[in-house]
Amino acid sequence: MNHYPWWKNCLLILFVIIAAIYTLPNLYGEDYAVQVSLNESKPVGAAMVDKVRNIIKDQHLHYLSVQYQEGQILARFPSTDDQLKASDYIKASLGEDYIVAPNLAPRTPKWLQEIGANPLKLGLDLRGGVHFLLAVDLDESTKARENGEIHTIS
């Protein structure tokens, strides 16, 4: 038997529904993307969308979309291979005046973005992108230890 008043149960259900809505963007995933912007803080012109689209088409690369968003151009790709090739070709074609960066773009629907529901951003450590390799010269380290020397990593 439930000993709580009905309004507390309704409030709990409301919080669970809101939490479920705001976790939805994490289920949609991300697309591989290439982001194009100007070196200066000025926005890229909307006319550049066709130029970027033509560069991608000339290289016969598969792409999902090329769109103008918030003063930048965002080209979405189905695979990392296409993304990296397109990034190299776009960078070579546009020159030094533009910043061309591989990126990940969320597939969150517009209605979720409008209410402020965005996917959780995972750092490199959670994506598996940080790997360290430490090489130690054991002979040198042993000699330094025997001589009482302290070595620092530089």
Side-chain angles (χ1 to χ4, degrees):
M1 184 165 177
N2 190 355
H3 298 290
Y4 295 105
W6 67 270
W7 67 270
K8 285 186 179 180
N9 290 323
C10 290
L11 192 62
L12 179 64
I13 290 170
L14 179 67
F15 285 149
V16 169
I17 290 171
I18 291 171
I21 288 172
Y22 277 89
T23 58
L24 281 176
N26 296 312
L27 300 177
Y28 286 99
E30 297 171 322
D31 286 328
Y32 303 104
V34 173
Q35 194 172 356
V36 179
S37 59
L38 275 171
N39 267 342
E40 304 163 2
S41 60
K42 300 176 189 172
V44 175
M48 282 295 293
V49 173
D50 291 331
K51 186 172 184 178
V52 170
R53 187 179 289 122
N54 290 334
I55 292 169
I56 295 168
K57 283 182 181 177
D58 289 346
Q59 299 302 322
H60 305 290
L61 296 172
H62 300 286
Y63 67 95
L64 301 174
S65 68
V66 178
Q67 55 199 30
Y68 183 77
Q69 285 184 340
E70 302 169 10
Q72 302 174 2
I73 297 173
L74 190 68
R76 296 172 183 256
F77 297 93
S79 70
T80 54
D81 291 337
D82 291 334
Q83 175 198 29
L84 296 176
K85 287 177 187 174
S87 175
D88 291 340
Y89 291 130
I90 293 169
K91 193 180 296 184
S93 298
L94 295 181
E96 298 293 321
D97 293 337
Y98 294 90
I99 298 171
V100 180
N103 206 343
L104 293 172
R107 288 188 214 133
T108 307
K110 191 82 166 163
W111 69 272
L112 280 171
Q113 290 177 357
E114 287 176 358
I115 63 170
N118 295 312
L120 182 67
K121 301 213 185 307
L122 300 176
L124 285 176
D125 53 344
L126 295 175
R127 288 188 182 276
V130 176
H131 301 282
F132 291 102
L133 176 62
L134 179 64
V136 177
D137 185 357
L138 289 178
D139 294 333
E140 177 93 18
S141 178
T142 306
K143 288 178 187 175
R145 179 80 174 170
E146 288 172 356
N147 296 336
E149 299 173 6
I150 298 174
H151 283 290
T152 59
I153 298 174
S154 54

